[in-house]
Amino acid sequence: MSEPRTTTPILDKDPGTAPPGPGEGSGRFWSPRRVPAAVVAVLLLAGAGLLLYDIAAVRAHHPAMHWRRVLARQLAERPLDDTWVLTGAAVAAVAGLWLIVLAVTPGLRGLLPMRRPHPDVRAALGRDAAALLLRDRAMDVSGVRAVRVRVRRKRADVRAVSHFRDLDDVRADLVTVLTDAIRGLGLSRPPTLSVRVTRPARKG
């Protein structure tokens, strides 16, 4: 049986200091998140530029822009329990929490870290590739008619349909085969295996 093309691990050179030895985990891969960073940078640049332009205009004895006069008046006159003030505060809080979450979480949840074959190399396997490999191994089990595999960070859910043989026997064979397959993936944190075997639905 030929290996699926999508099972090729992702390798990344990691020249950091004091790298772990071979066989240790690669650790989660961090997403660069270029789009959120670019959006925040553009908004901050536009806001800062507009504000600096208005301040320079006021220093040059020109009237302040209409939007800044209106904003200053609204901030001075509106009470803190006003609906628009509370709405603006809620939006700012949600945006701030979103940026904090993006800053402290690695992202790239579709990659499963693998054990390091070399101290200077980091490797990861895509979830879809892992699921495809487990599905191919499950289809080799006698009695299995169809398989659906979903691989998560901590668990691999396998749902199989068997058209003959005892369901307990099929499930035992699947657990044995897939446990060996998961071990062979070389993941630093192998997911827990969950297997369920059913009969095909009756027609009519």
Side-chain angles (χ1 to χ4, degrees):
M1 181 180 64
S2 61
E3 292 292 337
R5 290 180 298 174
T6 53
T7 57
T8 302
I10 294 177
L11 301 178
D12 178 29
K13 287 291 184 179
D14 184 15
T17 58
E24 297 187 16
S26 296
R28 292 285 302 279
F29 281 68
W30 283 75
S31 170
R33 294 193 171 104
R34 297 183 179 89
V35 174
V39 171
V40 173
V42 168
L43 291 178
L44 290 177
L45 181 62
L50 188 62
L51 183 60
L52 288 175
Y53 174 81
D54 191 46
I55 293 175
V58 172
R59 291 289 185 179
H61 306 291
H62 293 284
M65 290 185 177
H66 177 71
W67 66 268
R68 194 155 73 95
R69 296 197 304 269
V70 173
L71 180 61
R73 185 173 65 254
Q74 293 291 338
L75 292 176
E77 296 176 356
R78 284 186 180 272
L80 294 179
D81 58 353
D82 183 79
T83 302
W84 287 106
V85 174
L86 296 177
T87 302
V91 171
V94 170
L97 289 176
W98 176 63
L99 294 175
I100 291 175
V101 170
L102 290 181
V104 300
T105 54
L108 295 181
R109 299 178 62 86
L111 296 180
L112 301 174
M114 302 176 67
R115 292 190 296 271
R116 287 192 172 187
H118 188 274
D120 295 332
V121 177
R122 300 177 65 208
L125 183 65
R127 288 190 192 183
D128 293 340
L132 183 60
L133 189 145
L134 294 181
R135 178 186 177 278
D136 290 343
R137 293 292 300 273
M139 289 298 296
D140 292 338
V141 175
S142 177
V144 174
R145 177 178 180 180
V147 182
R148 184 177 62 187
V149 180
R150 183 180 181 184
V151 178
R152 305 178 182 178
R153 280 185 57 198
K154 298 182 179 180
R155 192 173 71 175
D157 294 320
V158 179
R159 301 294 178 259
V161 177
S162 176
H163 56 296
F164 70 92
R165 294 186 66 197
D166 183 76
L167 295 184
D168 291 337
D169 293 341
V170 175
R171 185 182 185 281
D173 289 348
L174 283 172
V175 169
T176 301
V177 170
L178 295 180
T179 299
D180 182 68
I182 291 176
R183 189 182 302 113
L185 294 178
L187 302 177
S188 59
R189 294 183 180 180
T192 303
L193 181 63
S194 173
V195 179
R196 186 176 67 181
V197 184
T198 59
R199 294 293 185 195
R202 294 183 179 180
K203 298 181 179 180

